[in-house]
Amino acid sequence: MSLPDLFAGIAVGFAIPQVALEVDRLALVKYAGAADDYVRQHWDHPFMIALGYPDVIGHGWLTFAHMCRAVTDWAPPSRATITRYAVRYHKPFHPGRLTCGGTVDSVEHDRLTVAVWAKDAGGSLLATGHVTITPFAGSPD
Amino acid sequence: MATITELQPHLVRLRERIGMTGPAITKKIEAGSLIKFARATGQTDALYLDEAAAARGPYGAIIAAPTYVSIFCHDTLADLITFDLPLSMFLHTDDAVELGPPIRAGDTIDAVARYADAYLREGRNGPLLFQIAEVTLTNQHRAHVATVRVGAVSFDSGG
């Protein structure tokens, strides 16, 4: 299946549907358990206050997981495969509203790249990245 | 607050690690682990969450959500990247990942990390010490599953 068949009419500049959710401290605890990531910044409120932060900080990988989810909600794994991604975290995320989205920034013969972003409740840019997908080519075995 | 000059010996010690690899770890991937991760990251697709539906799907089993590869970082990097520095805080700065075939329930994944780089920069509020490492994942078929490049920065929070 070629990419045009899969994403007919998708051109550079196309904005994928956004994902918006509340990420509270419970969500961070659930993620910590699921990811085996118990770094103190994500759960120890007094520790973070003592360091001058207003609250605990969300896991960067959790923010990015939701950025990827904006892509996989639009191009689910039965139709497309993520082959590459990269993310840069610009600002710590404190529990609250998280909105993720993206814009198609390249369409090639066999792949498509989405420039993805995440913002907090105040609209501050938390992270930006790129996710590259190819049409699903079947199971490897 | 530590100065760039005071941090130089620490940087020298860290840069001696460049190219070093940590101990390999092996994880047998259970469907429950993949489902728990998918739920915690808000996924709704049946291939990530529903064993029966996924068994009938293109991979024949539950597959890992795209960022599941991150769960290998903590254990593999524990002996390589160090935050035992005269800086009060560290944060995750960036990731870059190349993915092979998705991890499936029932896979056995080997993971090994390599220390890639360390460098100092003067930030607006003091020195920033960056460390970078790369984790390579392979499956039971010796197929490349992922290369995960992770960056972190240590600094003084001033708190």
Side-chain angles (χ1 to χ4, degrees):
Chain A
M1 183 184 291
S2 68
L3 200 60
D5 292 335
L6 186 59
F7 300 121
I10 300 302
V12 169
F14 175 81
I16 65 172
Q18 295 181 10
V19 165
L21 70 159
E22 290 294 324
V23 178
D24 58 13
R25 288 188 210 163
L26 177 60
L28 301 189
V29 171
K30 286 182 178 175
Y31 181 77
D36 265 344
D37 182 341
Y38 302 106
V39 170
R40 203 172 179 185
Q41 287 91 321
H42 307 309
W43 56 268
D44 191 338
H45 189 258
F47 170 76
M48 292 304 290
I49 296 294
L51 283 173
Y53 288 83
D55 202 341
V56 295
I57 291 172
H59 308 71
W61 275 113
L62 176 58
T63 297
F64 188 60
H66 288 297
M67 293 162 74
C68 281
R69 188 161 66 84
V71 176
T72 55
D73 281 0
W74 171 64
S78 56
R79 302 189 67 210
T81 303
I82 294 180
T83 58
R84 171 184 299 188
Y85 53 74
V87 58
R88 181 167 293 276
Y89 304 103
H90 303 294
K91 184 175 182 286
F93 170 64
H94 301 294
R97 190 78 173 164
L98 179 69
T99 305
C100 303
T103 304
V104 171
D105 77 346
S106 77
V107 182
E108 296 173 40
H109 168 64
D110 61 349
R111 63 185 168 182
L112 180 154
T113 299
V114 184
V116 289
W117 51 263
K119 293 180 180 177
D120 66 13
S124 292
L125 197 60
L126 299 168
T128 52
H130 287 85
V131 177
T132 299
I133 58 177
T134 65
F136 176 71
S139 173
D141 51 42
Chain B
M1 180 184 292
T3 64
I4 285 263
T5 304
E6 289 164 348
L7 289 168
Q8 283 295 341
H10 295 277
L11 180 65
V12 169
R13 177 170 58 87
L14 293 176
R15 289 190 63 80
E16 287 170 356
R17 299 181 179 204
I18 293 174
M20 284 174 55
T21 55
I25 65 165
T26 300
K27 281 186 195 281
K28 175 82 175 171
I29 307 300
E30 297 172 358
S33 168
L34 298 181
I35 293 168
K36 189 174 176 181
F37 187 88
R39 285 187 179 141
T41 53
Q43 290 289 354
T44 57
D45 195 282
L47 291 187
Y48 301 130
L49 292 162
D50 184 331
E51 283 192 80
R56 296 190 300 271
Y59 292 100
I62 292 263
I63 59 170
T67 61
Y68 182 82
V69 295
S70 65
I71 75 156
F72 295 90
C73 293
H74 191 262
D75 288 348
T76 54
L77 297 176
D79 293 332
L80 281 179
I81 286 189
T82 181
F83 299 109
D84 183 17
L85 298 163
L87 296 165
S88 61
M89 186 65 176
F90 67 89
L91 290 174
H92 189 177
T93 56
D94 60 304
D95 302 297
V97 177
E98 300 279 343
L99 288 169
I103 294 173
R104 291 185 282 193
D107 279 355
T108 299
I109 303 295
D110 291 323
V112 65
R114 183 181 67 85
Y115 197 93
D117 203 4
Y119 56 92
L120 271 167
R121 292 283 183 274
E122 189 65 69
R124 274 175 299 181
N125 300 308
L128 304 169
L129 199 162
F130 292 87
Q131 297 182 76
I132 296 163
E134 202 168 85
V135 182
T136 303
L137 309 183
T138 52
N139 67 16
Q140 67 276 17
H141 306 299
R142 298 186 180 278
H144 172 259
V145 169
T147 302
V148 184
R149 192 171 171 90
V150 179
V153 61
S154 295
F155 57 99
D156 215 310
S157 73

